[in-house]
Amino acid sequence: MFRTVALATGSLLLLPGLLSGCASANAAGAHVGYADRAGPVVIGTDGSARSRVVAALYGELLTRAGQKVRTADTSYAFPVDTAQAVVDGRISIAPAYESTLLRAMPGGQTMPGNMEATLSMALPPGIVALPPAAAQGGVVLAVTRSTAGRHKLRSLADVRGAGTGLTLGGSASGDPDAPSVAALKKVYGITLTPAGTAEAADIRVLRSTDPVIAWDGLVVLADPKSVVPPEHVFPLISAPAVDLAGRTALARVNTLLTTAQLAKLTASVDAGETPGRAARAWLRAKGLQR
């Protein structure tokens, strides 16, 4: 069974099996679950450093807004699992990502094109996806500075002028959102040779928060024709659990949390810093917390 999930801005998504488990609907049709009841806001994450540090940001902001917060006892395997837990009422809030949720639609289609139109469906009562941050957690294509300088690359559209000798590969080559050489040929008219997961590929397919981008000073190529679907991070919430002050506080990270900033936060946690400490330092640096 499929039910629908929407963004607060009017953008919507589908998820499978929603409103299952401990969640239910009351006589008025409002969603009711464990996380909706009186008590602290329960934040859930998947096991990634990215999810844990974003959840820590949410927790700090909600606490400052006067809400009691605790971390869920369960760490979920994937972002779709945390989203399902919000809908089921097992947790109150979790970081979610556009394309990851879109892949949960019937048939797995992402309906490429206009993302706003793709997501324009209806929310299950009581579940709200707040506006997304500028940060994306999806796939990017990057090159070394020397490759960028040699071929004058700043965008995927520039690759066509580099000829046919470049290879495409990297650690995120198997990601569902990773573009194939055929897709890049069709969209940008460029010819590349597939190199699988080879780290030495000329054009590297990486997650946007991969610390190697900063460590190696890679140049992320712009994607003006959106061959890679967007993967902005946003808070998926159980509306009864997060009040207006909490939602307002969460919205303050929208423009400040860029992909580069999220990559730095993720790298800090991967290096051993606790998500809470990394989140507090970032919020203080941005003037969002004393």
Side-chain angles (χ1 to χ4, degrees):
M1 178 181 69
F2 285 81
R3 298 290 182 95
T4 51
V5 176
L7 294 179
T9 56
S11 299
L12 311 167
L13 343 146
L14 272 175
L15 280 173
L18 300 185
L19 301 182
S20 61
C22 62
S24 61
N26 64 18
H31 178 72
V32 179
Y34 174 79
D36 301 331
R37 300 169 188 166
V41 173
V42 183
I43 301 180
T45 72
D46 61 56
S48 68
R50 176 186 65 184
S51 179
R52 290 184 288 125
V53 76
V54 171
L57 289 173
Y58 293 167
E60 293 290 332
L61 290 166
L62 289 170
T63 298
R64 185 165 178 78
Q67 295 211 246
K68 294 181 179 180
V69 176
R70 75 170 179 85
T71 302
D73 297 329
T74 301
S75 178
Y76 297 91
F78 302 105
V80 166
D81 298 325
T82 59
Q84 184 71 59
V86 173
V87 174
D88 288 348
R90 286 174 279 142
I91 59 177
S92 314
I93 177 173
Y97 310 89
E98 294 161 322
S99 297
T100 295
L101 291 177
L102 283 171
R103 281 194 297 273
M105 294 176 68
Q109 70 269 30
T110 57
M111 299 169 63
N114 186 321
M115 178 59 74
E116 185 174 357
T118 301
L119 301 177
S120 59
M121 300 179 190
L123 266 173
I127 304 300
V128 177
L130 298 179
Q136 295 205 55
V139 167
V140 294
L141 275 64
V143 296
T144 63
R145 291 191 183 278
S146 62
T147 298
R150 184 165 63 253
H151 296 290
K152 298 181 181 179
L153 304 180
R154 289 295 178 269
S155 161
L156 287 171
D158 300 330
V159 177
R160 188 171 182 177
T164 60
L166 299 181
T167 56
L168 175 74
S171 59
S173 294
D175 190 282
D177 291 331
S180 64
V181 292
L184 290 167
K185 174 75 172 178
K186 179 179 180 180
V187 175
Y188 285 104
I190 59 181
T191 301
L192 300 170
T193 301
T197 58
E199 294 183 4
D202 296 307
I203 299 179
R204 298 170 67 177
V205 186
L206 303 167
R207 301 295 298 182
S208 63
T209 52
D210 192 323
V212 76
I213 295 173
W215 293 342
D216 292 354
L218 301 180
V219 176
V220 174
L221 300 177
D223 179 18
K225 296 185 178 181
S226 300
V227 69
V228 179
E231 191 81 316
H232 295 95
V233 60
F234 61 87
L236 185 69
I237 69 168
S238 172
V242 181
D243 62 22
L244 180 58
R247 298 185 203 192
T248 301
L250 292 170
R252 297 177 70 190
V253 304
N254 283 359
T255 56
L256 297 176
L257 185 59
T258 63
T259 300
Q261 293 288 325
L262 181 55
K264 289 179 181 178
L265 285 166
T266 302
S268 294
V269 174
D270 275 330
E273 189 169 18
T274 66
R277 183 172 180 178
R280 287 189 292 273
W282 186 84
L283 290 168
R284 285 194 295 270
K286 298 300 178 183
L288 298 179
Q289 191 177 77
R290 292 189 183 87

